[in-house]
Amino acid sequence: MLQVLDRGAHAVSWEVAGKPVLFSSSLATSSADTAWRGGVPVCAPWFAAGPDGNQRPSHGPARTSLWQPLQATETATRHRLEVDRDAAGNKASLELVAAATATGNTLVNELTITNRGEREALVEAALHTYLQVSDVTAITLRGLEHCRYFDKVAQRECEAGPTIEFGSLVDRIYELPGGDAAETVVADAAMARQLKLRFDGARQAVVWNCGPDASPSDLGAGEWRNFVCVEAAALGGTRLAVGERLVLRSRVTVAEAMNGPV
């Protein structure tokens, strides 16, 4: 069963074969001031503090606003939200529609931002997916080895590199050459599965795990080990003409690992 909150249009729970695919903190809460820690937060119409670094709240109002439910079943939801400010802080009329659909072993999250205003609007977006893993220090993340990235911890641009090692704070923004990533795979031998991700409409992939020393207060003791964020993102600012839209989609499929069933 797929569970999605009206606040944030936030997918918080989805399982395959009795195993959670989305991670949620044991301390997660949702309110007008606090986004649910885990699941698939919708970051829009800006990411972090926006392109100019001055926008508040962090990751935009979409995460903590109450959305209008348009559809709600055990396997599919659609929500709508109107936002009156763009990623530059300018007055705007943006229509956001978030959809989540679970079919078999695949979950698709989609965000559409349409400029309903009378002037150009600047937007960013990300689907901040928290994936459940057995132990982040033991997983293998494949598919981004040939992508340049910005290391937000070291505050520097980096050339493509080998497999990421988790165990301390990891916060990287990978540039996807020509747009969408072909496929990113989280291989988890202990859970006997692979999580395969494909993005549409993304220019970047964000990889994040807080490690033991940067855990937020709403994360349970030791729970940093049990997730990795691999996010579809359209950062840097997309200028939408009147009537134009941005569509961002993240698809995660649960597959068998080499050494056992899902």
Side-chain angles (χ1 to χ4, degrees):
M1 180 176 174
L2 173 66
Q3 182 183 359
V4 179
L5 305 180
D6 290 340
R7 188 172 297 282
H10 194 144
V12 297
S13 178
W14 179 60
E15 296 184 354
V16 170
K19 298 178 182 179
V21 180
L22 300 180
F23 166 86
S24 279
S25 167
S26 61
L27 303 180
T29 61
S30 179
S31 72
D33 300 314
T34 304
W36 185 270
R37 177 66 64 184
V40 188
V42 176
C43 303
W46 58 83
F47 181 80
D52 63 3
N54 295 321
Q55 303 307 309
R56 300 291 184 276
S58 180
H59 293 316
R63 294 190 310 158
T64 53
S65 294
L66 274 176
W67 294 52
Q68 175 191 3
L70 303 176
Q71 177 188 8
T73 71
E74 291 189 353
T75 58
T77 64
R78 289 180 71 243
H79 288 80
R80 178 180 179 274
L81 178 69
E82 294 182 0
V83 176
D84 63 5
R85 188 157 52 101
D86 73 1
N90 296 324
K91 183 178 179 180
S93 179
L94 300 173
E95 179 188 53
L96 280 59
V97 176
T101 306
T103 306
N105 287 2
T106 298
L107 174 66
V108 179
N109 290 95
E110 180 180 286
L111 173 65
T112 302
I113 304 176
T114 305
N115 182 4
R116 300 296 188 193
E118 299 178 350
R119 60 177 63 86
E120 182 181 79
L122 186 72
V123 301
E124 292 184 308
L127 296 168
H128 197 307
T129 308
Y130 285 72
L131 299 170
Q132 179 85 36
V133 297
S134 57
D135 185 337
V136 72
T137 66
I139 65 168
T140 301
L141 181 62
R142 301 193 302 268
L144 298 172
E145 300 87 3
H146 304 295
C147 300
R148 292 174 54 88
Y149 64 93
F150 180 73
D151 188 329
K152 294 184 70 176
V153 179
Q155 285 293 297
R156 62 186 178 89
E157 299 282 350
C158 300
E159 297 295 330
T163 302
I164 302 172
E165 292 186 6
F166 295 96
S168 58
L169 174 62
V170 172
D171 193 354
R172 299 181 178 183
I173 301 175
Y174 285 85
E175 296 295 329
L176 304 179
D180 310 321
E183 184 171 80
T184 304
V185 178
V186 177
D188 191 335
M191 294 191 78
R193 72 182 184 190
Q194 300 180 78
L195 303 179
K196 299 183 176 183
L197 295 104
R198 287 185 176 272
F199 302 151
D200 298 306
R203 293 197 298 270
Q204 294 91 7
V206 180
V207 178
W208 181 76
N209 178 274
C210 58
D213 299 324
S215 292
S217 60
D218 58 353
L219 195 64
E223 287 182 343
W224 66 272
R225 289 185 175 274
N226 301 131
F227 75 88
V228 63
C229 289
V230 184
E231 314 164 31
L235 310 182
T238 297
R239 297 189 180 277
L240 297 181
V242 175
E244 194 174 9
R245 66 180 184 175
L246 178 150
V247 180
L248 183 64
R249 187 179 300 109
S250 176
R251 179 184 293 103
V252 56
T253 298
V254 183
E256 292 185 3
M258 297 292 291
N259 59 343
V262 173

